[in-house]
Amino acid sequence: MKKITSEQLRNLYIEFFKGKGHKQIPSASVIPENDPTVLFTTAGMHPLVPYLLGEKHPQGTRLTDYQKCIRTGDIDEVGDSSHCTFFEMLGNWSLGDYFKKEMIPWSYEFLTSEKYLGIDKDKIAVSVFEGDNEVPRDSESAELWKSCGIKEEDIYFLPRQHNWWGPAGTTGPCGPDTEMFIKVKEKCCETCSPACSCGAFLEIWNDVFMAYNKLSDGTYANLKQKNVDTGMGLERTLCVLNGKESVFDTDLFEGALNKIEELTGINYNKDESTKKAFRVILDHIRTSVFMIGDERGIVPSNVDQGYILRRILRRAIRFSRQINLKEEGLLEVAKVYIEKYKDVYPELLKNSEKIQSEISKEYQKFTRTLEGGLKEFEKTVNRLNGDTIDGQTAFHLFDTFGFPLEITKELAKERNLKVDEEGYKKAFNEHQEKSRAGSEQKFACGLADHQEQTTHLHTATHLLHAALKKVISSDISQKGSNITAERLRFDFNLDRPCTKEELQKVEDMVNDVIKQDLPVEMKEMTAVEAKKNNYIGLFDNKYGEKVKTYKIGEFSKEICGGPHAEHTGQLGKFKIVKEQSCSAGVRRIKAILTNE
């Protein structure tokens, strides 16, 4: 296997698939556009859902990229050797073009060729879908791997929980996959496989063969086209290729790790507690940099993406206290990441001041919160009957005041008190289960949702944007949107509340355009042509060579990839139901369409 840097791996992957006729597309935002199924872009395929469902992509049917992704289901696991909240996914897609017989040999070539990763074929194991009552056994993939040179004993048939890729949200494109692993040590037993937790196999790549669309009732329908969606995690692949035990030992984290050692005078390998503190800070500050610095940037808050950002920032701050890394130190770590990624993701350098400002503000807020936690702890002790702080109370200190269990235990020990750790864990797990369940219920549709009402609300969002620019200021621009079948939510830059008169003018203007029954015209053109013709490009750096543009009379002209009505007369009556602050300098409008 080759020793390789992150820059080299990105370039090798992209150039390989360009050589197979793929067009490179830019990374999308970490916040899904017009998609409430998930809070964040969790996989490379997420921004491409409409095209996997059959919509035509401006760049064609063969695509490749590296995509910014965020997964937050395991925040509390970060600190071990492998978990990350932010990661990059190298990917390539076939949108109804090639399928298994092309993709599997290409995967083998990229993994084993000395021109690319140069992995010994005898070090590779693969898994394929064993089949069930709904979808048949994937014998075709297994035969293709054999024809490439993978030994039969290194091909494992595994069930749905291991070899099925579901949709990004609750509905959408999905299908069986084949996964590739590096054999890093001897199998633990005769029945050991890539499904085993012994660590004998490390996953390096995943080819998903999307042939199905999961519907809201849980059933599967055949897609209009068969797609290929692949994903190679940059961090994990770097770790495997360079023979590292942890992703935090790769060049992606090296500069930031050295900076923390320099600022604190503490060695990363001092002990396991220190190592965990370093890793939490390294991961969470990197993720915070990408969240805040994104083209649709997030700021800490108590809801949705802002709540997750606040949670990981505060977790980083808590662990920074363990190694005496101050506010200025966290900002220095953030600067290292901005410098590391600025050429790949230029929006980070562009938003550098904002990144540092938001981290600084949250540090100061959380410091005051911890002080409040100390006061609450004293009240708890004064109310205590007996010598034990119960688990629910310990969790309340953590959940409400951000007070880590470790601090509660330390303070309790000073007073010869105990803490019910099992009760704390139970309360903590119950909270996690409720959060997960709530999240699943909250986000019910999205880009895969082409319901008539969702489509109409998407079109109304274009009209709202144009009206705000005409009524309030031509400098108004979209800062985010979220559309369900019931309502639209639109965020825009403005440093004051809208007046009642302004909102009424906006509403009247949109309804006037609806009454005119103007056609919604779609045309593909280059991004340069779109700008020349005054189309609004909300997030310029995400567009490729060709874009889809939508024109509504002479009222609205935008670059967009979402679903649209055919003409404005279909929309009904537009009504603004709420206007409020979203974050500093950003306002939010919620609106509906009625049949009145």
Side-chain angles (χ1 to χ4, degrees):
M1 289 185 284
K2 292 182 177 180
K3 302 296 182 184
I4 195 169
T5 67
S6 55
E7 289 83 4
Q8 289 170 333
L9 181 53
R10 284 193 204 95
N11 292 336
L12 273 177
Y13 192 94
I14 297 299
E15 290 308 312
F16 177 83
F17 281 101
K18 279 185 175 180
K20 305 296 184 186
H22 293 63
K23 291 287 184 70
Q24 182 182 358
I25 56 174
S27 173
S29 166
V30 297
I31 307 173
E33 185 177 353
N34 297 322
D35 188 352
T37 59
V38 287
L39 288 174
F40 297 103
T41 298
T42 59
M45 58 78 70
H46 197 171
L48 294 170
V49 168
Y51 310 106
L52 295 167
L53 287 169
E55 199 169 316
K56 185 181 176 185
H57 195 285
Q59 304 304 315
T61 58
R62 297 187 178 194
L63 309 173
T64 185
D65 74 349
Y66 39 83
Q67 171 65 47
K68 301 177 289 185
C69 299
I70 292 175
R71 292 181 188 170
T72 57
D74 298 314
I75 290 176
D76 298 295
E77 299 300 319
V78 173
D80 63 12
S81 63
S82 61
H83 279 87
C84 293
T85 49
F86 170 86
F87 61 97
E88 292 175 84
M89 190 63 77
L90 303 169
N92 62 281
W93 291 270
S94 163
L95 306 176
D97 191 327
Y98 57 84
F99 207 51
K100 297 177 184 178
K101 67 183 178 65
E102 292 87 4
M103 189 60 233
I104 288 176
W106 287 347
S107 299
Y108 181 82
E109 180 185 356
F110 186 73
L111 290 172
T112 62
S113 170
E114 287 300 322
K115 187 179 177 181
Y116 298 104
L117 300 191
I119 301 171
D120 181 350
K121 67 181 177 65
D122 292 331
K123 290 278 188 182
I124 298 173
V126 299
S127 64
V128 294
F129 184 53
E130 73 173 13
D132 56 24
N133 292 333
E134 294 177 300
V135 178
R137 184 179 178 89
D138 191 3
S139 299
E140 181 185 359
S141 290
E143 290 302 317
L144 285 166
W145 280 117
K146 280 185 203 175
S147 68
C148 288
I150 300 297
K151 297 175 183 175
E152 188 167 0
E153 61 263 33
D154 289 326
I155 301 172
Y156 296 84
F157 284 91
L158 297 178
R160 183 177 288 260
Q161 70 182 97
H162 297 291
N163 277 83
W164 180 273
W165 189 257
T170 54
T171 62
C174 54
D177 67 350
T178 182
E179 300 182 8
M180 290 141 270
F181 302 82
I182 305 298
K183 296 186 282 185
V184 293
K185 64 179 184 180
E186 291 298 316
K187 297 197 293 184
C188 66
C189 62
E190 284 295 316
T191 59
C192 183
S193 77
C196 183
S197 60
C198 72
F201 302 87
L202 276 179
E203 183 186 347
I204 193 169
W205 204 356
N206 183 7
D207 293 348
V208 181
F209 302 118
M210 289 188 169
Y212 305 94
N213 184 23
K214 186 178 180 182
L215 306 177
S216 57
D217 63 1
T219 61
Y220 296 92
N222 290 324
L223 287 173
K224 296 177 184 176
Q225 62 190 34
K226 289 183 177 180
N227 309 298
V228 174
D229 158 33
T230 86
M232 174 180 280
L234 183 75
E235 286 80 0
R236 181 179 293 184
T237 304
L238 275 177
C239 185
V240 172
L241 292 176
N242 290 291
K244 302 294 185 181
E245 292 185 3
S246 165
V247 295
F248 297 102
D249 297 329
T250 65
D251 72 271
L252 292 169
F253 295 97
E254 183 180 17
L257 191 155
N258 291 340
K259 177 60 70 174
I260 296 174
E261 287 188 327
E262 174 194 324
L263 293 169
T264 63
I266 298 174
N267 187 286
Y268 166 67
N269 290 305
K270 178 185 175 185
D271 53 46
E272 287 305 310
S273 176
T274 299
K275 188 176 285 188
K276 179 176 180 177
F278 267 71
R279 288 171 173 175
V280 169
I281 296 163
L282 289 168
D283 173 82
H284 287 2
I285 294 300
R286 185 175 72 146
T287 303
S288 299
V289 164
F290 274 93
M291 282 187 179
I292 302 166
D294 191 76
E295 56 263 45
R296 302 180 70 194
I298 308 163
V299 295
S301 72
N302 290 324
V303 296
D304 295 342
Q305 292 96 342
Y307 170 74
I308 300 296
L309 171 58
R310 170 160 285 164
R311 183 179 169 194
I312 65 168
L313 257 180
R314 291 189 171 191
R315 190 166 188 256
I317 295 165
R318 279 171 26 217
F319 278 89
S320 73
R321 293 165 70 93
Q322 290 184 22
I323 57 173
N324 201 30
L325 185 67
K326 305 295 185 184
E327 175 185 347
E328 296 76 15
L330 291 177
L331 296 178
E332 287 297 315
V333 174
K335 289 178 188 175
V336 171
Y337 283 129
I338 293 168
E339 182 65 24
K340 173 71 176 175
Y341 287 97
K342 68 179 182 181
D343 294 331
V344 185
Y345 302 108
E347 65 270 18
L348 300 184
L349 186 60
K350 177 183 175 183
N351 295 314
S352 177
E353 288 186 15
K354 180 185 176 185
I355 291 168
Q356 294 174 68
S357 173
E358 292 299 335
I359 291 174
S360 180
K361 285 190 288 186
E362 194 60 25
Y363 186 97
Q364 292 166 29
K365 284 180 183 177
F366 187 45
T367 299
R368 292 193 294 270
T369 295
L370 283 175
E371 290 171 0
L374 284 168
K375 291 177 183 176
E376 184 66 20
F377 179 84
E378 293 301 328
K379 291 178 183 177
T380 297
V381 171
N382 292 334
R383 293 194 299 263
L384 198 63
N385 290 319
D387 64 351
T388 302
I389 297 173
D390 68 89
Q392 193 66 49
T393 299
F395 178 71
H396 173 71
L397 284 166
F398 167 73
D399 187 44
T400 305
F401 297 95
F403 223 57
L405 179 63
E406 290 74 20
I407 292 180
T408 301
K409 285 165 60 180
E410 286 173 13
L411 292 173
K413 187 176 180 181
E414 290 173 7
R415 290 163 173 77
N416 295 316
L417 298 172
K418 302 172 187 174
V419 178
D420 177 11
E421 292 188 53
E422 287 304 313
Y424 172 88
K425 289 176 184 176
K426 182 181 178 183
F428 183 87
N429 291 334
E430 287 175 356
H431 171 76
Q432 280 194 317
E433 289 303 317
K434 287 178 183 177
S435 296
R436 289 193 187 104
S439 178
E440 288 169 3
Q441 290 299 316
K442 181 176 181 181
F443 304 106
C445 60
L447 278 175
D449 179 9
H450 285 238
Q451 294 180 60
E452 183 178 282
Q453 191 65 4
T454 310
T455 299
H456 292 174
L457 282 161
H458 191 115
T459 308
T461 304
H462 285 238
L463 301 181
L464 171 61
H465 189 187
L468 287 167
K469 292 175 81 71
K470 296 176 195 302
V471 172
I472 297 177
S473 170
S474 59
D475 293 329
I476 292 287
S477 62
Q478 179 178 335
K479 294 300 179 185
S481 67
N482 180 291
I483 299 169
T484 71
E486 288 75 39
R487 58 100 182 108
L488 69 83
R489 194 179 77 192
F490 184 82
D491 299 342
F492 59 99
N493 60 303
L494 191 64
D495 57 5
R496 62 170 178 82
C498 298
T499 66
K500 288 183 179 179
E501 291 76 17
E502 286 171 334
L503 291 174
Q504 191 60 56
K505 283 182 181 178
V506 167
E507 191 176 286
D508 290 345
M509 188 176 287
V510 171
N511 281 316
D512 183 57
V513 175
I514 291 173
K515 287 177 184 175
Q516 292 177 47
D517 198 17
L518 299 176
V520 180
E521 303 174 60
M522 190 282 285
K523 184 182 290 186
E524 288 187 4
M525 60 183 74
T526 66
V528 174
E529 288 175 316
K531 288 181 184 179
K532 185 178 178 181
N533 286 284
N534 299 316
Y535 283 85
I536 298 170
L538 301 181
F539 313 112
D540 289 345
N541 70 342
K542 80 173 185 179
Y543 298 119
E545 295 171 15
K546 283 190 175 182
V547 295
K548 281 188 174 182
T549 65
Y550 287 86
K551 178 183 176 187
I552 304 175
E554 294 302 319
F555 188 77
S556 168
K557 299 168 79 175
E558 288 198 27
I559 297 170
C560 188
H564 296 78
E566 294 179 357
H567 51 94
T568 61
Q570 296 175 312
L571 304 188
K573 186 175 181 181
F574 177 79
K575 183 173 179 58
I576 294 173
V577 295
K578 195 170 189 178
E579 189 271 350
Q580 65 191 96
S581 173
C582 175
S583 60
V586 179
R587 306 296 296 180
R588 170 172 292 171
I589 282 178
K590 292 182 180 179
I592 59 173
L593 292 171
T594 70
N595 295 319
E596 293 178 15

